[in-house]
Amino acid sequence: MTVPRSLIPCVFRLARRAAAALVGVVVGAGALQAQFTIENLELHVPSGTRGAFTQLIPLRSEIDEVQQVRVWLGDWSRDSLGGNQILEYGSTPRSCGGRISIFPSTLQLGPRATDYVRVTYDAPAAADSGCWAIVLSETVRSPRQIEAERSTSITINTIVGVKVYVHAADAKAQAEVISADVEAFWKPMDPPSRDSTLERQIAVRLANTGTAHLIVKSQVELRDESSAVIDRLKVDDAYITPDAWRDILVRLPRLPRGRYSAVVLLDYGADEISAAQVEFEIP
């Protein structure tokens, strides 16, 4: 169902910046922390952009040595629980393909210095229906480092990813609740024990049926049999690309026996706020 925004007496927070896309790659041995940092982890090309549109990614060295950094493009997808998968560039239906280029592909980053990668989007003649990509970068290990790694057990090489969003012309925020339920599962114990507890969570599947990238801000109201609000549950923001869906999971607190209802309010930036109601019983 949908609820007019004006009728919802809720205060929603401003969007938080998305977390970095970090890929830990086991390669043999080495440092456990990134040797450079990138503060801005998203680039956005506005809806209806025409011609060439260039933005800069600043790379700041965190070490006292010169390092060589390799930069390349990739595709990415997000699963229904919010996890990211990095894919070969041009391998997905919504890849930006030749519309995005980067320069340089390798650079020398001086000690504690900052250098820049240029990301250029070349708009097609027709209005863009939207695409997305990711700019990946990592420190290239020298032959000396590779030789040293052979005598050690393990290393973690950090690849830093900056997501690029090309927003569709006249992007429309639109979504539909596919399903809503309360799931019960046994919480595993470590070490295994006979005292495992039964946990419950609200599971709402929301599909992005529009052309805009959605940031969904959710709030859950728990009500008892008299419809009185007994609790309000916080929910992390959920990000959904066009043509995808997201499973929004909210762990329920311990409740005494009785019948309850949960009203999930879903604000994704449209004129109306979607809502899902689930009724359940604690035996």
Side-chain angles (χ1 to χ4, degrees):
M1 61 179 153
T2 57
V3 182
R5 182 181 297 273
S6 60
L7 299 182
I8 302 298
C10 304
V11 177
F12 294 91
R13 296 171 294 172
L14 294 176
R16 295 196 297 261
R17 186 186 64 184
L22 298 179
V23 183
V25 182
V26 178
V27 294
L32 295 179
Q33 64 180 15
Q35 295 178 306
F36 62 90
T37 57
I38 299 174
E39 292 185 1
N40 185 12
L41 303 168
E42 293 183 357
L43 296 180
H44 292 266
V45 178
S47 174
T49 295
R50 292 287 181 266
F53 183 86
T54 298
Q55 298 180 83
L56 300 178
I57 299 176
L59 281 66
R60 186 177 70 244
S61 171
E62 299 292 340
I63 61 175
D64 295 319
E65 300 177 8
V66 175
Q67 58 183 306
Q68 185 175 5
V69 179
R70 181 171 73 99
V71 186
W72 71 102
L73 282 167
D75 284 347
W76 61 272
S77 65
R78 185 186 292 122
D79 64 28
S80 65
L81 296 179
N84 293 299
Q85 182 180 13
I86 308 302
L87 305 164
E88 182 180 354
Y89 191 57
S91 64
T92 62
R94 301 301 290 269
S95 174
C96 292
R99 286 170 282 177
I100 288 182
S101 59
I102 55 174
F103 180 84
S105 58
T106 60
L107 57 90
Q108 292 273 76
L109 193 56
R112 305 289 173 177
T114 299
D115 209 337
Y116 299 86
V117 174
R118 300 180 62 179
V119 181
T120 299
Y121 165 76
D122 287 307
D128 202 321
S129 60
C131 65
W132 47 93
I134 189 166
V135 180
L136 300 162
S137 53
E138 67 172 341
T139 300
V140 178
R141 296 167 312 176
S142 66
R144 176 178 57 83
Q145 291 172 317
I146 294 174
E147 182 63 28
E149 290 167 1
R150 292 175 180 172
S151 61
T152 56
S153 58
I154 192 171
T155 196
I156 296 178
N157 190 33
T158 301
I159 299 173
V160 183
V162 178
K163 288 182 175 178
V164 181
Y165 295 84
V166 176
H167 295 276
D170 301 321
K172 183 178 181 180
Q174 183 174 295
E176 179 182 351
V177 175
I178 302 301
S179 62
D181 205 350
V182 170
E183 302 173 339
F185 57 94
W186 291 100
K187 181 180 179 181
M189 304 295 288
D190 187 19
S193 169
R194 293 182 179 180
D195 299 326
S196 297
T197 58
L198 184 66
E199 301 284 340
R200 292 177 174 83
Q201 66 183 10
I202 301 167
V204 177
R205 175 163 290 187
L206 185 69
N208 184 344
T209 57
T211 56
H213 291 270
L214 301 183
I215 302 176
V216 184
K217 300 179 180 301
S218 307
Q219 180 175 291
V220 178
E221 293 182 352
L222 280 181
R223 299 176 181 267
D224 60 18
E225 289 185 274
S226 67
S227 295
V229 177
I230 60 173
D231 203 351
R232 287 186 172 88
L233 307 179
K234 296 181 179 179
V235 187
D236 291 337
D237 292 351
Y239 296 76
I240 318 178
T241 54
D243 301 326
W245 66 83
R246 180 71 182 267
D247 291 319
I248 299 172
L249 307 178
V250 187
R251 190 69 61 88
L252 285 170
R254 296 300 184 108
L255 297 168
R257 293 180 179 179
R259 298 186 62 84
Y260 299 89
S261 65
V263 178
V264 186
L265 304 175
L266 304 158
D267 183 0
Y268 47 86
D271 293 334
E272 295 180 326
I273 295 176
S274 293
Q277 181 168 323
V278 181
E279 296 183 356
F280 61 98
E281 182 176 3
I282 303 297

